[in-house]
Amino acid sequence: MPDTKKLFIKTYGCQMNVYDSERMAETLGAEGYVVTEVAEEADMVLLNTCHIREKASEKLYSDLGRLRPLKQAKPDLKIGVAGCVAQAEGEEILRRMPLVDLVVGPQSYHRLPGMMGEVAKGKKAVDTDFPAEDKFDHLPERKMLRGPSAFLTVQEGCDKFCAFCVVPYTRGAEVSRPVARLLGEARALVEKGVREITLLGQNVNAYHGEGEGGSWGLARLVRELARIDGLERIRYTTSHPNDMDDDLIAAHGEEAKLMPYLHLPVQSGSDRILKAMNRKHTREQYFRLVERIRAARPDILLSSDFIVGFPGESDADFADTMDLIRQVGFGAAFSFKYSARPGTPAAEKDPVAADIADARLQELQALITSQQRAAQEAMVGREVAVLYEKAGRLPGQMVGKSDHLHAVHVADSEGRVGDLVRVRITASAPNSLAGARLDGSIVA
Ligand code: SAH
Ligand code: SF4
Ligand code: F3S
């Protein structure tokens, strides 16, 4: 019997980290590691970190502090730090936290087995390179699938350099994976039972992968993926407004498998702040874009990200953001208090007072919550398609997502994970919908 060891992974941050954690688990799986959900059982703990806001990145250090007694009780325990804090802070992590054995940046995951070899010899291993080779070409095949819905990273990195953001530094320059690889990975996922794929990228709609006849945009990739039998739903995230091209907007009207939900961060509704953020579009351009998207797909639900308290944000700027939210109407949104990040241009500027930023965040979140509730209420009485992701907490109940990405609890004693069924929505709760399955309703 080969020696099996246990691996515990904790994932912080965005969906790309979720995808990366799965791929790292597969890489280490080839080295004899099996995943455990219990940190105390682990021979290796891997923290896949996020650097986007100060709170996110400080979480690493508090979690490492909590691992100290475990490492003392079990000196053979290996502790690794991956992700965007690893990239941003590198060796500094080892200096601050000597219990860490390994630091690996997001572009070097395929080198983990070699690094583990070093660690096994009692050495420390650090790799925060941006290697010339593509890590995806060196990672083993997908194995760990947790249900009918999967992520697929199609593009990584960002060249936009918004004034507040660390991503261009932690993930590096924008790179698109070749079409053929993505089609291969998607087909393999579908063969394993996946029915919904969410295409991931920090700037996913800037995708320009090498395909037949030259460079393909995201719309063309989506249309090609839609031809895969058994793949029922396609989503993509996160998009930048400036990269929503005509073809992609048209695809929302034409491609039935492309779901009617779009995350389209705007960050602010003030032209002055948008400019200071280096977002490179105006509020008016965002309005026009939303109009075009809604013309192509009238029932599309939009979501966004907002930052409040960006340096220099006045009451009038904030009022413009609130006005934009009222005019557009979002189905959901993430909102954050601006956090100064080391090395970004905005971090040099004077911050907005914390109490003012807190008050703005609350006001904005209250408006978003009311819009989200209204969007959910509007679903009551309607018939929607739901893809079951797991059994519900109550007997005879399944939980899944609707086309519009609402979580739906469905009364269905015969349902199985992976069924895509028609459901009549009967009620709206704060963060989910409830419904009943329509008879004989498996749609695919
Ligand atoms: N690529 C995506 C988002 C990446 S980060 C985009 O272009 O929109 C996810 C969200 O975190 C951002 O949309 C932004 O709202 C927020 N964010 C990024 N940097 C931040 C900072 N320094 N302070 C507060 N929020 C931040
Ligand atoms: Fe960050 Fe802006 Fe790039 Fe998004 S587009 S990842 S917010 S720099
Ligand atoms: Fe965080 Fe890195 Fe994602 S900073 S949001 S984990 S790209």
Side-chain angles (χ1 to χ4, degrees):
M1 281 291 286
D3 207 9
T4 59
K5 286 172 280 180
K6 291 191 173 154
L7 170 69
F8 176 85
I9 304 190
K10 178 165 176 180
T11 307
Y12 315 64
C14 64
Q15 289 140 321
M16 195 162 287
N17 264 9
V18 174
Y19 177 84
D20 286 344
S21 287
E22 288 183 9
R23 304 298 310 256
M24 284 191 280
E26 288 155 3
T27 306
L28 292 173
E31 305 294 303
Y33 280 93
V34 291
V35 170
T36 170
E37 304 295 321
V38 188
E40 288 72 20
E41 283 183 356
D43 301 288
M44 163 102 191
V45 170
L46 195 55
L47 303 174
N48 192 11
T49 59
C50 173
H51 195 59
I52 202 83
R53 285 168 290 275
E54 191 181 354
K55 247 196 213 143
S57 86
E58 282 305 309
K59 189 114 198 9
L60 165 67
Y61 292 102
S62 57
D63 282 350
L64 284 173
R66 243 174 278 135
L67 284 172
R68 206 173 273 131
L70 199 61
K71 177 103 174 181
Q72 273 158 4
K74 205 171 168 181
D76 284 345
L77 172 70
K78 305 295 179 217
I79 297 180
V81 177
C84 291
V85 182
Q87 188 62 47
E89 296 184 3
E91 300 217 359
E92 181 58 28
I93 297 174
L94 295 181
R95 269 192 289 277
R96 205 168 146 186
M97 285 286 176
L99 82 170
V100 173
D101 300 289
L102 173 158
V103 175
V104 59
Q107 303 310 336
S108 304
Y109 295 153
H110 57 297
R111 295 178 175 170
L112 264 172
M115 295 175 76
M116 293 297 290
E118 293 296 295
V119 168
K121 290 186 215 146
K123 295 189 190 150
K124 304 265 179 189
V126 178
D127 190 336
T128 53
D129 286 354
F130 287 103
E133 77 269 15
D134 179 353
K135 70 175 170 199
F136 294 110
D137 290 348
H138 300 268
L139 290 170
E141 219 191 280
R142 304 290 297 272
K143 274 194 218 85
M144 284 191 39
L145 295 175
R146 289 214 188 80
S149 183
F151 291 135
L152 173 55
T153 294
V154 302
Q155 175 278 334
E156 265 200 286
C158 181
D159 299 338
K160 297 262 190 304
F161 292 92
C162 298
F164 50 81
C165 185
V166 293
V167 170
Y169 313 97
T170 62
R171 291 275 170 171
E174 219 183 276
V175 177
S176 294
R177 295 177 65 191
V179 171
R181 301 255 175 210
L182 297 173
L183 293 176
E185 194 170 326
R187 284 193 198 101
L189 288 169
V190 171
E191 271 163 31
K192 294 192 170 101
V194 165
R195 314 192 72 186
E196 172 178 272
I197 292 182
T198 302
L199 308 176
L200 297 181
Q202 270 92 19
N203 260 296
V204 71
N205 58 342
Y207 177 81
H208 56 278
E210 188 193 314
E212 219 180 281
S215 167
W216 287 33
L218 188 67
R220 189 158 175 205
L221 178 67
V222 164
R223 291 181 207 273
E224 195 62 30
L225 286 167
R227 295 169 54 166
I228 298 177
D229 272 346
L231 178 62
E232 307 298 340
R233 289 174 157 186
I234 301 168
R235 306 180 187 274
Y236 60 92
T237 198
T238 292
S239 295
H240 191 289
N242 290 357
D243 293 315
M244 281 308 293
D245 64 20
D246 291 344
D247 197 15
L248 190 54
I249 294 173
H252 276 282
E254 292 159 7
E255 188 45 70
K257 290 184 181 180
L258 187 55
M259 292 292 100
Y261 183 99
L262 179 62
H263 186 57
L264 194 63
V266 64
Q267 314 296 355
S268 169
S270 152
D271 281 339
R272 223 172 55 82
I273 296 298
L274 284 169
K275 190 153 200 285
M277 285 177 163
N278 194 30
R279 291 291 291 183
K280 298 200 170 88
H281 65 78
T282 62
R283 62 188 259 125
E284 203 48 41
Q285 284 166 332
Y286 190 79
F287 288 139
R288 297 291 83 81
L289 176 59
V290 166
E291 268 173 21
R292 284 163 57 221
I293 295 166
R294 285 187 168 145
R297 183 76 205 233
D299 71 334
I300 201 162
L301 266 195
L302 294 175
S303 74
S304 181
D305 292 340
F306 294 95
I307 296 177
V308 301
F310 184 80
E313 186 187 68
S314 67
D315 286 341
D317 294 319
F318 178 64
D320 281 348
T321 299
M322 294 293 280
D323 177 70
L324 178 142
I325 297 172
R326 279 188 211 97
Q327 288 200 45
V328 172
F330 291 95
F334 298 100
S335 47
F336 313 97
K337 196 164 77 164
Y338 169 72
S339 168
R341 306 306 292 128
T344 60
E348 315 280 309
K349 307 270 165 59
D350 287 341
V352 168
D355 55 336
I356 295 179
D358 283 330
R360 286 179 188 163
L361 186 62
Q362 269 191 20
E363 203 183 324
L364 186 148
Q365 286 180 340
L367 177 57
I368 291 292
T369 302
S370 72
Q371 292 193 342
Q372 181 193 328
R373 299 263 163 89
Q376 284 185 204
E377 288 292 338
M379 293 290 164
V380 176
R382 279 175 59 176
E383 198 185 305
V384 302
V386 176
L387 178 63
Y388 288 158
E389 289 175 356
K390 58 184 183 193
R393 262 184 292 131
L394 305 176
Q397 189 190 54
M398 297 298 294
V399 188
K401 297 271 168 43
S402 72
D403 289 354
H404 293 91
L405 207 59
H406 287 125
V408 188
H409 295 258
V410 184
D412 180 356
S413 50
E414 257 115 70
R416 286 163 312 163
V417 169
D419 286 350
L420 181 60
V421 302
R422 309 253 7 135
V423 169
R424 172 86 58 206
I425 299 300
T426 52
S428 170
N431 291 308
S432 64
L433 298 169
R437 174 168 168 177
L438 297 171
D439 279 346
S441 72
I442 294 196
V443 283

